């Protein structure tokens, strides 16, 4: 006898396979595909997205969900199967609001837009990308109408990345952060000369950069038998299942930081994906609870661990041995200060921890206004530059260093940016909880040992995949809701010590 639950699992396997195929094509487009393949690739992606959507929203899925809900009604709410029915029902309700033709059109447009954006970025010309971005923004407005919202149009899209979080919550979070962040940035700026990042700006052989970073992430726990690293224009992590998780990076031959810390960042995402329990991963519950929770892991392994003093106590001698000419005469303290230098900068992914959230606030305010129709695309570059002047006191000299730097809008990812700041808050909140449970973590980090910390994250986050809502998961893991208290205390303590405030 086949149960409806089994039928549902089989159906989800089909949907997941179609999605995996399109994800693989998307990964390939950003890593391997010759530029000439763009148009055909957009058609292939369009077809796969349409088939996956149509198969998922089919009435048969609704019938299986209803019967499976009855079959699992006596199970505890935390049981894998009960979670599968609950989460799939939520996904189903959302997916049914959006017509298949619309999904196909958005998929085709964003696949083509990737090439338009990459070319405009390379050629430093926002005007070449603006018409495409206008089309994408119009579709995202349409999508928000399909999904529905009661307060702000931005709510509809935000909810697809961070369930149950509203635009008003994001505004409140940033208002709270600004109160502490802006004075901290000012106090540091007054002592800007006390930290030098010069040692990081020297020629560093790319093959050695790669080997060192891959050695480190092996110690973190990235499983190379279920993952790999390649190059891309914009670093990202893409998973096809918990047993095949790809990360990408980009190298700067004259700057040590971007590839190294970018690799640690994507590894945080990857370990979360690799950590999903195989039995839930197979039916669509693998991956992260939300983008904010996902980002907590990338920021934790990149910053809280990877830019920490304890980490470098262990790894710095090895880095010096890798680059003796460049770093042989730079001591640990000066290197630690260099990698944590705070300075207003143009590129978000290369920003220090203190100014990083200001980059996010800028993007949030811009995309919120674009989506609400309060700003035409034609004004975007000027608005971008004005906000950099307002928040960071600098104006990007080129579009490549300004409005064209991020891949997100070209990919239709509107409403995504605030999850980066949520990730920052959660990274410290979760780390503190792990250390409270296992005080030995602090000394282990200085010995290059990460198992206790990773195991705590695995127990509390990774293995659960998407089983629980982000609010449930964070509350279960830390005993409270997301808060900014721990994060701001961490920033103030760390940077007061570095800058002698
Ligand atoms: Zn990330």
């Amino acid at each position: 006898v086949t149960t409806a639950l089994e039928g549902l699992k089989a159906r989800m396997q089909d949907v997941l396979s179609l999605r995996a195929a399109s994800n693989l094509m998307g990964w390939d487009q950003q890593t391997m595909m010759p530029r000439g393949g763009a148009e055909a690739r957009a058609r292939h992606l369009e077809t796969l997205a349409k088939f996956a959507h149509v198969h998922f929203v089919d009435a048969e899925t609704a019938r299986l969900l209803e019967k499976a809900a009855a079959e699992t009604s006596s199970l505890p709410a935390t049981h894998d199967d009960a979670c599968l029915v609950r989460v799939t029902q939520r996904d189903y309700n959302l997916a049914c609001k959006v017509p298949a033709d619309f999904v196909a059109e958005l998929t085709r447009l964003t696949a083509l837009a990737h090439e338009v954006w990459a070319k405009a970025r390379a050629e430093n010309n926002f005007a070449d990308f603006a018409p495409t971005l206008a089309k994408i923004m119009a579709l995202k407005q349409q999508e928000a109408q399909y999904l529905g919202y009661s307060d702000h149009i931005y709510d509809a899209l935000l909810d697809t990345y961070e369930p149950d979080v509203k635009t008003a919550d994001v505004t409140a979070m940033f208002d709270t952060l600004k109160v502490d962040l802006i004075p901290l940035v000012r106090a540091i700026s007054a002592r800007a000369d006390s930290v030098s990042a010069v040692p990081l700006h020297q020629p560093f052989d790319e093959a050695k950069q790669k080997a060192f970073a891959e050695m480190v992430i092996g110690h973190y726990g990235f499983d190379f038998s279920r993952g790999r690293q390649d190059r891309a224009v914009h670093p990202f992590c893409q998973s096809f299942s918990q047993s095949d998780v790809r990360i990408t990076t980009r190298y700067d031959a004259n700057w040590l930081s971007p590839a190294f810390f970018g690799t640690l960042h994507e590894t945080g995402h990857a370990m979360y994906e690799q950590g999903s329990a195989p039995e839930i991963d197979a039916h669509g519950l693998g991956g992260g609870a939300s983008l904010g929770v996902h980002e907590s892991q990338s920021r934790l392994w990149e910053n809280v661990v990877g830019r920490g003093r304890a980490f470098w106590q262990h790894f710095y001698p090895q880095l010096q041995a890798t680059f003796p000419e460049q770093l042989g005469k730079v001591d640990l303290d000066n290197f630690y200060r260099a990698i944590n230098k705070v300075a207003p900068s143009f590129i978000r992914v290369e920003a220090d921890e203190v100014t990083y959230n200001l980059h996010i606030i800028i993007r949030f305010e811009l995309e919120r206004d674009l989506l609400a129709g309060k700003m035409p695309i034609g004004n975007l570059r000027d608005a971008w530059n004005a906000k950099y002047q307002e928040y960071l006191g600098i104006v990007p000299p080129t579009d490549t260093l300004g409005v064209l730097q991020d891949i997100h809008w070209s990919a239709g990812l509107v409403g995504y940016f605030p999850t980066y700041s949520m990730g920052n808050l959660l990274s410290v909140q979760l780390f503190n909880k792990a250390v409270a449970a296992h005080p030995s973590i602090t000394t282990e980090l200085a010995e290059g040992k990460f198992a206790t910390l990773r195991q705590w994250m695995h127990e509390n986050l990774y293995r659960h995949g998407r089983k629980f809502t982000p609010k449930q998961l964070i509350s279960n893991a830390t005993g409270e809701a997301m808060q900014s208290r721990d994060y701001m205390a961490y920033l103030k303590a760390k940077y007061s010590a570095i800058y002698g405030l």
Side-chain angles (χ1 to χ4, degrees):
V1 178
T2 305
T3 64
L5 182 66
E6 285 163 357
L8 180 66
K9 287 178 177 177
R11 196 164 188 86
M12 287 316 296
Q13 190 190 307
D14 292 345
V15 173
L16 290 172
S17 298
L18 289 166
R19 286 184 194 154
S22 69
N23 286 340
L24 182 56
M25 284 197 187
W27 172 87
D28 175 79
Q29 181 170 10
Q30 291 191 50
T31 52
M32 303 286 173
M33 188 188 80
R35 181 137 293 168
E39 292 214 3
R41 179 59 48 91
R43 289 198 298 275
H44 301 152
L45 285 165
E46 177 186 356
T47 300
L48 281 170
K50 190 167 61 188
F51 277 37
H53 186 81
V54 166
H55 198 60
F56 184 48
V57 301
D58 192 276
E60 175 64 6
T61 309
R63 195 189 67 82
L64 290 168
L65 274 167
E66 194 185 340
K67 289 201 165 181
E71 288 170 7
T72 55
S73 61
S74 60
L75 294 173
T78 56
H79 190 282
D80 287 351
D81 291 336
C83 292
L84 176 70
V85 174
R86 192 172 60 236
V87 172
T88 308
Q89 183 72 57
R90 182 185 192 275
D91 292 347
Y92 181 81
N93 295 346
L94 272 178
C96 285
K97 293 180 178 178
V98 185
D101 286 348
F102 175 85
V103 172
E105 188 184 358
L106 182 62
T107 303
R108 188 183 54 81
L109 180 61
T110 52
L112 290 171
H114 177 74
E115 306 306 323
V116 179
W117 164 75
K119 186 164 177 287
R121 180 180 172 278
E123 294 171 358
N124 185 31
N125 190 348
F126 175 68
D128 282 354
F129 178 55
T132 302
L133 182 56
K135 283 185 206 160
I136 290 173
M137 206 50 79
L139 286 186
K140 297 307 284 188
Q141 288 166 336
Q142 176 71 59
E143 184 180 354
Q145 299 305 332
Y146 285 136
L147 293 170
Y149 56 90
S150 51
D151 185 15
H152 196 289
I153 186 172
Y154 193 80
D155 289 346
L157 301 185
L158 181 61
D159 190 72
T160 63
Y161 306 113
E162 201 62 38
D164 306 326
V165 170
K166 304 280 182 240
T167 310
D169 301 325
V170 173
T171 305
M173 172 179 76
F174 286 139
D175 285 347
T176 305
L177 284 177
K178 280 182 203 171
V179 170
D180 286 325
L181 270 180
I182 291 174
L184 184 60
V185 172
R186 290 221 180 94
I188 291 170
S189 298
R191 297 184 52 80
D193 295 342
S194 61
V195 173
S196 166
V198 168
L200 306 175
H201 295 271
Q202 301 183 62
F204 291 96
D205 178 75
E206 289 186 20
K208 287 183 182 172
Q209 287 193 49
K210 182 175 192 289
F212 181 79
E214 292 190 350
M215 178 275 291
V216 169
I217 65 174
H219 286 282
Y220 266 7
F222 180 82
D223 182 351
F224 281 95
S225 75
R226 296 186 293 132
R228 54 178 287 132
Q229 186 181 45
D230 296 273
R231 287 165 193 266
V233 176
H234 198 99
F236 66 97
C237 171
Q238 177 69 65
S239 135
F240 310 113
S241 71
Q242 54 86 36
S243 51
D244 184 356
V245 181
R246 316 277 175 96
I247 59 174
T248 62
T249 196
R250 60 182 177 207
Y251 294 92
D252 187 328
N254 295 299
W255 187 11
L256 189 63
S257 300
F260 182 73
F261 292 108
T263 298
L264 300 190
H265 180 101
E266 300 308 333
T267 297
H269 286 302
M271 292 198 300
Y272 196 168
E273 295 284 334
Q274 289 184 332
S276 290
E279 58 274 19
I280 64 169
D281 188 67
H283 307 121
L285 291 190
S290 71
L291 290 185
V293 179
H294 227 299
E295 193 71 5
S296 77
Q297 293 310 295
S298 54
R299 301 298 282 177
L300 178 129
W301 293 101
E302 175 193 359
N303 293 326
V304 184
V305 177
R307 286 183 209 264
R309 211 175 192 294
F311 173 95
W312 288 105
Q313 245 171 275
H314 178 77
F315 282 108
Y316 190 54
Q318 295 178 56
L319 185 67
Q320 284 181 305
T322 308
F323 298 110
E325 269 179 50
Q326 295 89 334
L327 298 174
K329 294 197 175 80
V330 180
D331 67 17
L332 171 62
D333 195 52
N334 280 319
F335 179 78
Y336 168 68
R337 292 156 64 83
I339 59 169
N340 287 295
K341 181 174 175 62
V342 176
S345 60
F346 299 115
I347 300 291
R348 173 184 60 84
V349 296
E350 293 159 2
D352 60 81
E353 288 179 275
V354 180
T355 59
Y356 185 90
N357 292 296
L358 300 177
H359 293 263
I360 302 302
I361 291 171
I362 290 170
R363 285 152 181 73
F364 163 65
E365 292 181 351
L366 292 172
E367 66 179 12
R368 181 197 55 195
D369 290 350
L370 285 172
L371 193 71
K374 288 185 179 165
M375 178 172 40
I377 295 289
N379 292 1
L380 179 59
R381 175 189 19 208
D382 289 347
W384 178 286
N385 291 350
K387 285 201 184 286
Y388 267 77
Q389 176 66 54
E390 180 191 347
Y391 283 109
L392 288 153
I394 54 175
V395 176
T398 67
D399 295 346
T400 303
L401 289 172
V403 66
L404 286 176
Q405 67 182 269
D406 286 312
I407 197 171
H408 302 64
W409 293 335
S410 73
L413 301 173
V414 178
Y416 183 127
F417 279 113
T419 66
Y420 288 132
S421 289
M422 293 175 206
N424 283 336
L425 268 49
L426 292 171
S427 69
V428 179
Q429 186 175 340
L430 288 160
F431 179 78
N432 286 356
K433 198 70 190 175
V435 171
H438 303 283
S440 65
I441 286 172
T442 318
T443 46
E444 287 168 22
L445 293 184
E447 296 162 355
K449 294 177 183 163
F450 306 102
T452 309
L453 178 60
R454 190 184 64 249
Q455 196 56 37
W456 190 91
M457 295 298 159
H458 186 264
E459 276 303 306
N460 286 281
L461 302 183
Y462 303 171
R463 69 191 174 97
H464 300 303
R466 304 169 61 228
K467 272 179 71 173
F468 304 114
T469 67
K471 287 185 176 173
Q472 277 176 315
L473 192 68
I474 294 306
S475 167
N476 290 348
T478 71
E480 59 181 334
M482 180 179 79
Q483 39 87 358
S484 60
R485 184 185 71 240
D486 285 13
Y487 176 65
M488 281 314 309
Y490 158 83
L491 284 186
K492 282 182 190 169
K494 177 173 176 178
Y495 290 91
S496 293
I498 291 172
Y499 279 91
L501 303 179

